[in-house]
Amino acid sequence: MTQIGKAISRLEGWQKVTGSAKYAGDYNVPDLLYGYVVNSTITKGHIISIDTSDALALPGVIKVFTHQNRPGLAWFDIMYTDMDAPPGTVFKPLHDNEIKYNGQPVALIVAERFEIAREASALIKIKYEEMHFETRLDRNIEKGRNAKKGLATALKPPPPKPKGDFSLAYDESPFKVATEYRHSTEHHNPMELFATTTVYEGDGKLTIYDKTQGTINSQIYVANIFGLHFKDVRVLAPFVGGGFGSGLRPQYQLFFSVMAALELKRNVRVTLDRKQMYSFGHRPQVIQKLRFAAETNGKLTALSHLALSETSQFEDYAELVAEWSHKLYPANNTLFSYKLVPLDLYTPIDMRAPGGSTALHAIECTMDELAYQLKMDPLELRLKNYAEIDPSTDKPFTSKALKDCYLKAAEKFGWNERNPEPGSMTHGNKLIGYGMATGIWDAYQFPARVEIGVNAEGKLLVNNATTDIGTGTLTVMTQIAADQFGLSLDEVTFGYGDSKKPFSMFQGGSAMTASTGSAIVIAANVLKKKLLDKAKEITNSPLKDAELKDVMFTHGRMYLKNQVEVYVMLTDIVQANKGKTIKTTNLGAPHMFDLRKYSKMTHSAAFVEVEIDKDLKTITVTRAVTAVAAGKIINPKTATSQITGSMVWGISKALYEETILDENLGKYMNMNLGEYHIPVHADIKQLEVIFVEEKDELINELGVKGVGEIGLVAIPAAIANAIFHATGKRINNLPIHFDELL
Amino acid sequence: MENFRQINLLVNKQPYTLAIKPYVSLLDALRDYLDLTGTKKGCDHGQCGACTVLVNGNRVLSCITLAVMKDGAEITTIEGIDHPLQNTFIEHDAFQCGYCTPGQICSAIGMLREGKAHSRAEVAELMSGNLCRCGASMQIIDAIMEVKSGGSNE
């Protein structure tokens, strides 16, 4: 193994620094038409009339699509269902005159030029009949109900049943904390605008450049809705300008681009503008109530976490919120609940560390309050309640190096220099606060098929339909594949971002390295056997008596483990195969049967320093250290960036970002990057990452767990706890604004 | 059709003549009319910096600049950049998805030329008009500092 574990720079780096990396909206194919979407300005009701005559009269406008003239489409709701659809009925663009949410797409203008389509959008006159709507979670608490069950429930089961007698234990415990947390809506806002360029190939064939986290998900969606053969729909996404969950489901620009291309028999691009990026999918508003109780020695006796979240009127989007505390901490008495309130908004969608980042903020702030009540160091309280086996299932972990995370990060940070008294640490005109928190995330793995082969030049070709949304997938998969045959990176080509390649789920859940990576190992082992069999067929083959266990591979050779000088060149094997690439396609899948007795978790510990201006109360995160236990790290460079990027997201969640909802209008009020605040470069100071050793021989072929989200979950609580340490104020609603400290 | 203006642009040392409506942004002119798609549209409101290009050497937000305003100007887009920052960005992993990267690099070149930033904090402040949603801020400033200080990082 020589490539795995190396800090390799991204293999597609040069394309990204020279502008040659092409994203979905960058394909200027011949005779391209431009689509511009018109969105509803009311929140709920009906369209009475749409007057498109002025728009159509504008020179250069080709067509205006509305619910009145859209082509006939698939009849059954199930045909619109994508791989990530929650239980319910999928939203169908231009289906009828009903308005379900503010910003719902109601028309598509197609024109010769982008500017003309946009100009025409201002000329569309729509009359609406408005109805009463509800968009605020906190005004509709009484409507909370259990989430409907469906396919998605497999990954998002309801919280575990109660244990013991929570109320009694809570009442009788000497130390207890009851807390409430409110989170605003958030939008993913990847830098790339959602865009689809559809190339009309004729004969019912389409080539589609889509902004998506799942090429096959988009392919299935298009084929089903428009009645095309799967093989005639090719979806490409070689570069994706960030996703963070927003591309887990096909978004409406895909629908519109394909509909217009098929109807007009032309190449059509639809690019959403930034405001429209707020018209599909978001992290939901959540209200959480927690009650934790402990003995005098700090041992937890009772845990309760009740969460109330929003969903749309048509789908039941659920997150895992209520159960995390019991995956971290043992307690004999528990009470968990997760309920949904349907509101007149679009269905929420997974956003980086969905559920976990919401829950861990509440859990780890509640633990901090409890530590103060107990007069115990917050880190000591975590160690006192450290779980060697998963308390929520009584199953052992495949691996868990959280204790190492705590200790290594605490040492690096200098936690022992902390004076626990709030407001006691200062630096000039600044209050200094130290805070810490724990992180936990699922170690998911999805099924994936990988094609792997050796060609006449002795190069290794590896193919899978996954995307690389900036995670480093191309680089990491190339490293994994290279090591299977002892090759250098330039001897391996990883093909991806193409629905024609073998199956991959969408890129989400921090699961890609485990999913596609494990499938590469499995397929490589099959290929090795195939190569050996072919090698034996060569006349006077020096390997004719060898078995798979006897041979090894390095730089284009298959050789005897115990006799290095006895070898066959891979190029000679392919030549003996008449020069045809020798290849195999195999499925990698989670070891469901073996792993059913285990809990599979990634862990982290975060330590944060904040500086708060004594007079102005402005908050700066001056230092943050995150230690992560995520099994084997394939590429420390790209993995570190996943963690520091997530830490920036944690800082953003704690201090900056929120979509503000006007309940009278039922619409978001800050749908632009000037008013939707995310950290700028000047807000980000020193971020440090430690990967602790965590050997996991059970979880999958590679011993990897994924690093896309674990870096985010602990940071918001660590910041809120540091703010308390600096000021003595507990601000439980995110984001924390400095004026709340005045 | 009426309302078309003829303009001349020197883009990446290549002369172009365009007949466009006055309301076409420099960004759309580059992307849709000249097929220079390395320059990205992230907001179209001058809020994110993804569209940053160099006009006569100065960094400019091409999405809030009308192409007709730059008649006769010399424009450099990411496709015309050959600068040490490109290597330090790769080396420091100063991008993930890469979408903001052309704007970050053009902006950094313009910022260094302005000569106003004398410290890491000032570089970060003067680069804060270029958003990065992947959260690569620290690595971006690292990459710029390496070029600014000719190798050292502070």
Side-chain angles (χ1 to χ4, degrees):
Chain A
M1 299 279 175
T2 54
Q3 302 299 341
I4 290 179
K6 262 195 205 165
I8 307 287
S9 295
R10 283 165 210 271
L11 300 178
E12 80 287 9
W14 191 245
Q15 286 159 278
K16 286 178 173 172
V17 299
T18 54
S20 60
K22 280 195 185 297
Y23 300 79
D26 292 344
Y27 290 86
N28 288 332
V29 294
D31 301 320
L32 184 65
L33 295 176
Y34 297 80
Y36 193 86
V37 178
V38 180
N39 302 76
S40 164
T41 54
I42 69 157
T43 300
K44 190 176 184 178
H46 295 89
I47 298 170
I48 298 169
S49 65
I50 300 190
D51 179 358
T52 60
S53 54
D54 288 352
L56 286 166
L58 193 70
V61 172
I62 306 281
K63 174 120 184 169
V64 179
F65 291 94
T66 70
H67 69 278
Q68 291 167 324
N69 69 347
R70 65 159 172 82
L73 298 165
W75 187 257
F76 297 105
D77 289 337
I78 188 82
M79 301 306 267
Y80 290 78
T81 303
D82 59 272
M83 285 155 63
D84 195 37
T89 306
V90 180
F91 171 71
K92 300 183 283 296
L94 301 191
H95 183 67
D96 55 24
N97 70 341
E98 188 188 343
I99 301 297
K100 296 170 190 283
Y101 71 99
N102 205 302
Q104 176 178 322
V106 292
L108 177 77
I109 295 152
V110 184
E112 297 285 357
R113 284 285 173 195
F114 166 72
E115 305 83 36
I116 296 170
R118 184 175 57 186
E119 185 181 349
S121 72
L123 303 174
I124 305 259
K125 297 186 199 74
I126 306 177
K127 282 196 181 126
Y128 296 100
E129 178 189 43
E130 288 191 65
M131 289 163 64
H132 177 77
F133 54 81
E134 293 292 340
T135 53
R136 281 274 294 262
L137 180 65
D138 54 359
R139 300 257 195 277
N140 293 278
I141 289 169
E142 72 290 349
K143 290 181 191 156
R145 57 158 174 77
N146 291 331
K148 286 178 195 142
K149 289 183 181 170
L151 277 178
T153 315
L155 282 178
K156 292 170 172 176
K161 296 203 159 32
K163 264 189 202 173
D165 186 336
F166 172 80
S167 295
L168 186 70
Y170 183 80
D171 287 345
E172 290 184 348
S173 293
F175 292 90
K176 61 194 93 178
V177 179
T179 52
E180 181 171 334
Y181 300 84
R182 292 185 180 214
H183 288 189
S184 305
T185 312
E186 295 171 12
H187 279 81
H188 310 66
N189 275 305
M191 293 307 298
E192 183 194 10
L193 299 167
F194 268 74
T196 304
T197 306
T198 301
V199 182
Y200 183 79
E201 310 274 11
D203 292 335
K205 289 190 171 62
L206 299 175
T207 302
I208 301 167
Y209 299 95
D210 187 32
K211 177 172 175 63
T212 179
Q213 291 173 238
T215 54
I216 289 177
N217 199 21
S218 291
Q219 178 197 27
I220 291 169
Y221 178 81
V222 167
N224 279 343
I225 293 175
F226 297 97
L228 304 170
H229 294 293
F230 287 111
K231 63 174 174 44
D232 291 341
V233 179
R234 185 178 186 190
V235 176
L236 294 155
F239 288 94
V240 182
F244 316 113
S246 60
L248 289 173
R249 304 187 66 184
Q251 301 302 358
Y252 63 78
Q253 92 291 340
L254 171 65
F255 174 93
F256 280 120
S257 170
V258 170
M259 177 189 70
L262 287 171
E263 196 67 6
L264 300 169
K265 300 185 171 30
R266 294 277 301 268
N267 302 333
V268 178
R269 174 187 305 153
V270 178
T271 306
L272 301 188
D273 63 24
R274 182 52 64 181
K275 188 180 173 189
Q276 290 166 338
M277 299 284 285
Y278 297 77
S279 62
F280 58 86
H282 54 274
R283 198 196 292 281
Q285 313 164 60
V286 182
I287 299 171
Q288 302 175 76
K289 290 184 179 180
L290 287 80
R291 282 173 293 164
F292 288 5
E295 301 283 4
T296 314
N297 64 6
K299 284 267 186 198
L300 289 161
T301 52
L303 294 172
S304 172
H305 193 160
L306 314 178
L308 186 72
S309 189
E310 59 158 291
T311 190
S312 66
Q313 301 285 5
F314 43 96
E315 287 171 311
D316 268 17
Y317 169 81
E319 292 182 334
L320 299 184
V321 178
E323 48 270 82
W324 292 104
S325 61
H326 204 30
K327 288 179 188 293
L328 280 174
Y329 307 119
N332 290 330
N333 305 281
T334 65
L335 180 66
F336 304 116
S337 139
Y338 179 77
K339 297 211 184 292
L340 292 179
V341 175
L343 295 170
D344 298 304
L345 296 163
Y346 195 69
T347 312
I349 189 170
D350 283 348
M351 179 164 161
R352 202 170 197 174
S357 61
T358 306
L360 267 297
H361 164 240
I363 293 162
E364 289 296 286
C365 286
T366 304
M367 287 294 279
D368 202 68
E369 277 201 47
L370 194 59
Y372 269 89
Q373 216 184 82
L374 287 155
K375 294 192 168 50
M376 189 182 253
D377 182 273
L379 175 57
E380 198 192 328
L381 178 63
R382 268 68 169 200
L383 293 171
K384 190 96 190 166
N385 289 283
Y386 192 82
E388 296 290 353
I389 63 160
D390 181 347
S392 69
T393 57
D394 291 328
K395 292 176 184 175
F397 294 100
T398 58
S399 60
K400 179 180 175 179
L402 173 59
K403 197 169 274 176
D404 249 19
C405 291
Y406 283 134
L407 301 179
K408 290 217 163 73
E411 192 192 342
K412 182 98 184 171
F413 180 83
W415 182 252
N416 59 9
E417 290 158 29
R418 178 180 186 263
N419 177 344
E421 189 61 34
S424 62
M425 293 171 71
T426 58
H427 178 7
N429 193 39
K430 301 282 188 337
L431 296 163
I432 305 292
Y434 284 6
M436 61 83 57
T438 317
I440 181 168
W441 189 246
D442 262 307
Y444 289 119
Q445 183 182 345
F446 301 134
R449 283 170 69 80
V450 161
E451 179 189 66
I452 190 165
V454 177
N455 72 5
E457 288 86 52
K459 300 255 189 207
L460 188 67
L461 313 173
V462 187
N463 289 305
N464 175 254
T466 180
T467 52
D468 182 342
I469 56 174
T471 44
T473 305
L474 164 63
T475 311
V476 162
M477 297 309 164
T478 306
Q479 288 175 264
I480 292 168
D483 269 5
Q484 306 312 310
F485 292 91
L487 297 170
S488 57
L489 297 178
D490 56 8
E491 293 170 302
V492 179
T493 303
F494 180 63
Y496 64 103
D498 181 351
S499 65
K500 260 195 168 172
K501 311 282 185 199
F503 179 82
S504 169
M505 288 284 279
F506 38 68
Q507 184 162 29
S510 299
M512 233 59 245
T513 305
S515 307
T516 298
S518 298
I520 288 174
V521 176
I522 288 165
N525 287 333
V526 177
L527 181 63
K528 286 175 187 175
K529 177 78 169 63
K530 239 178 166 171
L531 288 168
L532 179 60
D533 291 345
K534 294 276 181 192
K536 288 182 183 181
E537 290 170 16
I538 297 173
T539 324
N540 296 325
S541 172
L543 300 178
K544 62 178 181 300
D545 299 323
E547 289 183 40
L548 193 56
K549 63 175 170 47
D550 305 326
V551 298
M552 288 185 79
F553 293 80
T554 185
H555 293 292
R557 296 175 180 198
M558 185 186 336
Y559 64 95
L560 283 180
K561 211 182 285 183
N562 300 324
Q563 255 180 299
V564 180
E565 68 282 6
V566 178
Y567 66 87
V568 175
M569 297 299 293
L570 298 187
T571 46
D572 290 337
I573 303 175
V574 180
Q575 203 169 21
N577 194 43
K578 298 183 186 120
K580 282 190 295 183
T581 299
I582 298 170
K583 61 184 180 181
T584 177
T585 303
N586 298 88
L587 178 74
H591 304 170
M592 301 279 263
F593 187 76
D594 293 339
L595 289 175
R596 75 191 191 285
K597 293 177 187 156
Y598 293 93
S599 188
K600 314 177 292 292
M601 292 290 154
T602 309
H603 293 91
S604 70
F607 292 76
V608 165
E609 178 190 86
V610 297
E611 262 185 19
I612 296 172
D613 189 283
K614 281 182 181 169
D615 304 313
L616 302 172
K617 305 297 182 196
T618 46
I619 308 160
T620 307
V621 176
T622 41
R623 282 192 304 135
V625 178
T626 297
V628 175
K632 186 181 284 172
I633 300 302
I634 305 291
N635 183 335
K637 185 179 275 193
T638 53
T640 298
S641 292
Q642 283 292 291
I643 302 302
T644 54
S646 290
M647 291 166 78
V648 171
W649 271 61
I651 293 169
S652 189
K653 185 174 180 63
L655 300 178
Y656 298 95
E657 66 183 278
E658 66 181 316
T659 326
I660 295 161
L661 192 57
D662 182 307
E663 65 179 312
N664 296 314
L665 297 170
K667 70 183 277 196
Y668 301 117
M669 300 310 290
N670 57 334
M671 296 187 281
N672 61 77
L673 290 174
E675 294 167 298
Y676 186 94
H677 295 168
I678 60 171
V680 297
H681 298 322
D683 295 320
I684 300 305
K685 310 296 181 187
Q686 199 185 329
L687 309 175
E688 287 182 83
V689 179
I690 300 164
F691 290 113
V692 303
E693 277 289 315
E694 190 180 65
K695 206 170 168 148
D696 195 323
E697 290 176 337
L698 293 162
I699 189 116
N700 53 42
E701 282 71 8
L702 286 160
V704 300
K705 286 179 171 177
V707 291
E709 291 154 298
I710 184 64
L712 163 52
V713 287
I715 295 287
I719 292 173
N721 293 339
I723 290 172
F724 171 76
H725 180 227
T727 64
K729 284 195 180 178
R730 292 268 175 209
I731 311 295
N732 286 352
N733 300 348
L734 298 187
I736 297 170
H737 299 142
F738 71 92
D739 56 294
E740 292 166 295
L741 300 174
L742 283 169
Chain B
M1 282 186 279
E2 77 275 33
N3 284 333
F4 280 77
R5 303 286 173 84
Q6 186 165 310
I7 60 163
N8 296 302
L9 299 173
L10 190 65
V11 185
N12 303 331
K13 302 203 160 61
Q14 180 108 18
Y16 294 93
T17 301
L18 275 177
I20 51 168
K21 286 193 172 186
Y23 67 11
V24 177
S25 68
L26 178 59
L27 173 62
D28 289 333
L30 291 169
R31 288 179 52 83
D32 295 349
Y33 293 72
L34 302 182
D35 196 23
L36 292 166
T37 55
T39 307
K40 303 302 183 202
K41 185 184 285 190
C43 70
D44 225 12
H45 282 48
Q47 294 172 330
C48 78
C51 68
T52 308
V53 297
L54 297 167
V55 178
N56 301 327
N58 300 316
R59 49 183 177 159
V60 159
L61 295 169
S62 63
C63 77
I64 48 170
T65 304
L66 297 175
V68 292
M69 292 159 64
K70 298 300 167 190
D71 188 13
E74 189 176 341
I75 293 158
T76 308
T77 69
I78 190 68
E79 289 92 343
I81 298 284
D82 180 9
H83 195 279
L85 275 171
Q86 289 164 297
N87 282 319
T88 61
F89 263 61
I90 294 172
E91 190 53 37
H92 287 275
D93 211 27
F95 50 82
Q96 293 174 31
C97 78
Y99 197 79
C100 72
T101 312
Q104 301 281 358
I105 290 174
C106 288
S107 185
I109 293 170
M111 184 271 304
L112 291 172
R113 185 173 175 267
E114 289 159 16
K116 293 178 192 159
H118 303 291
S119 66
R120 185 183 173 94
E122 287 173 1
V123 167
E125 181 69 33
L126 292 173
M127 282 300 295
S128 282
N130 289 81
L131 301 180
C132 168
R133 184 56 157 164
C134 295
S137 291
M138 191 174 68
Q139 291 88 338
I140 289 169
I141 305 305
D142 285 346
I144 298 171
M145 290 309 290
E146 181 172 333
V147 170
K148 182 174 160 55
S149 52
S152 83
N153 199 7
E154 263 319 312

